[in-house]
Amino acid sequence: MTDQANPPAVKKLFIKTYGCQMNVYDSQRMAEAMGADGYVLTEDQADADMVLLNTCHIREKAAEKLYSDLGRLKPLKAERPDLKIGVAGCVAQAEGEEIVRRMPLVDLVVGPQTYHRLPAMVRGEAPAILTDFPPEDKFDHLPARTSLNRATRRAPAAFLTVQEGCDKFCAFCVVPYTRGAEVSRPVDRILREARDLVDRGVREITLLGQNVNGWHGAGSGGEWGFGRLIRALGGIEGLDRIRYTTSHPNDMADDLIAAHRDVPQLMPYLHLPVQSGSDRILRAMNRKHTAAGYLRLIDRIREARPDIMLTSDFIVGFPGETDGDHQDTMRLVAEVGFGTAFSFKYSPRPGTPAHDRPEVDSRVADQRLQELQGLLTKQQKAAQEGMVGRALGVLFEKPGRQAGQMIGKSDYLHSVFVDAPQAQVGDLVRVRIVESASNSLRGELAA
Ligand code: SAH
Ligand code: SF4
Ligand code: F3S
């Protein structure tokens, strides 16, 4: 009930999100938590009462973006000293009070495991810097997804974090340090959140975790693996599409592969990062899988779901990488044929085992990156063109710029433009793909 005489003062919150989908999810949850304190989201930073930067630490460039954005906020803060500036996410976790030392205009620093306390921090009822790994589960202290207010944009596709942290300790990666140890959320909480989302019109859920397929938990009948969780989600009426990201090759259990065959709502799309095609480099990276093992796994997944599209992440120029190692990566890519992939030049990160190893010449790494991206772009184009003539499901997410046009995502996550004057956001329709453009497809409503 709202108090008519004393309506809560509406304050405006601007959030900028960097990094991975887990940060996108966290930003939504922080918006919901702040919504309970009367904050609504604004798209206009200059108009905000609070600016929250939800940051990423994965590569140096990602982390440096925070400081250039903070620099740009200086005039605004000088003009309006009561403007609150908060830093959340993985840079907050990694650098803590160092951020305030470097940029005194920052009022609050909150890590990925403490953001349930953000409203209290803003009210001045909790410390201004919180980057511990508290014993309590933050999700138990956040408002339920159903309490979404005007602050949160509604969309037919939603993220749902089911697993946090990582215990894999790849030699290049900050995630085990910024996100902490691997924790799986309990089955009942996940199913409840999924049902809440479906109740408010969500038709597609992407399950998130840095090592999402390593999820496990106690369910009915004993210990569940990730495949079992997907089967349970497949039983939710109104949940038409399930996706998940990101997975580690070593956690692709038989039951999960079988779920790709058996659960019709599970989309034929799998992001399975391999990082390199060279066993020597994979060992140096502490990836604990081989190139041949990855290829065998791909064979089994394709056997279970022949129309699946595979995507991956690659790092080039990892310390010690030779031309021969790079050619191994090129061969693996040629052999698998990816729908799309992210490829990055290695960036040494403070506190990680590979940080002080001798680096590959930067120009050589650039050349390798270019060569790899050339091949990946060709494969992406071929995969997209292979969609032409096919009838696919498309979930409309927003109206297009032209009258009567809708934009949605295909089963394979391609953006599809469709003339559909009668349709609404949230409709899931059959579309015949008629054309492949540079970064999207065009389709027509199928009869
Ligand atoms: N948990 C996921 C991905 C985590 S980060 C996994 O295990 O695959 C996303 C991607 O960023 C990684 O897959 C990797 O390709 C890239 N990445 C991580 N650390 C990096 C670094 N130090 N330099 C360059 N790329 C990096
Ligand atoms: Fe990082 Fe490796 Fe964990 Fe992925 S599996 S988050 S790359 S340490
Ligand atoms: Fe970046 Fe943290 Fe995600 S480092 S990739 S925001 S887990």
Side-chain angles (χ1 to χ4, degrees), residues 131-299:
T131 55
D132 51 341
F133 291 101
E136 78 266 18
D137 179 352
K138 68 169 176 274
F139 295 109
D140 289 340
H141 299 267
L142 287 166
R145 305 303 302 268
T146 40
S147 74
L148 288 179
N149 52 51
R150 282 177 299 150
T152 318
R153 268 163 288 167
R154 283 156 198 265
F159 290 139
L160 200 177
T161 293
V162 301
Q163 180 272 329
E164 293 205 285
C166 183
D167 294 341
K168 295 262 194 285
F169 292 94
C170 299
F172 50 80
C173 184
V174 295
V175 171
Y177 313 98
T178 61
R179 294 269 167 172
E182 224 169 288
V183 178
S184 294
R185 291 181 66 195
V187 174
D188 58 334
R189 310 285 212 296
I190 295 167
L191 294 179
R192 190 170 64 206
E193 189 170 329
R195 285 194 203 98
D196 285 350
L197 288 168
V198 171
D199 283 348
R200 50 172 272 262
V202 166
R203 304 186 71 171
E204 170 178 317
I205 291 179
T206 303
L207 305 172
L208 298 181
Q210 279 301 350
N211 192 14
V212 71
N213 58 341
W215 179 93
H216 58 92
S220 61
E223 182 75 1
W224 286 16
F226 190 56
R228 181 74 184 80
L229 179 67
I230 286 177
R231 283 168 203 270
L233 289 161
I236 295 180
E237 186 77 31
L239 179 56
D240 298 309
R241 288 174 147 191
I242 302 169
R243 305 179 186 277
Y244 62 93
T245 198
T246 288
S247 296
H248 193 284
N250 287 5
D251 287 319
M252 285 305 296
D254 292 349
D255 184 44
L256 176 55
I257 296 177
H260 277 281
R261 182 192 59 213
D262 301 335
V263 180
Q265 296 94 327
L266 186 57
M267 289 292 100
Y269 182 102
L270 176 61
H271 183 62
L272 194 61
V274 62
Q275 311 298 356
S276 168
S278 153
D279 287 344
R280 219 172 55 80
I281 293 300
L282 287 170
R283 213 173 309 121
M285 287 176 164
N286 192 32
R287 285 291 292 183
K288 301 194 177 90
H289 60 78
T290 61
Y294 184 83
L295 293 173
R296 274 196 304 276
L297 182 59
I298 298 298
D299 283 345

Side-chain angles (χ1 to χ4, degrees), residues 329-342:
T329 299
M330 295 296 291
R331 260 193 303 278
L332 179 134
V333 172
E335 192 160 339
V336 175
F338 291 99
T340 179
F342 297 105

Side-chain angles (χ1 to χ4, degrees), residues 21-37:
Q21 291 104 323
M22 300 194 65
N23 260 15
V24 175
Y25 175 84
D26 291 341
S27 289
Q28 286 170 352
R29 300 297 311 248
M30 287 190 276
E32 289 161 14
M34 294 302 292
D37 266 16

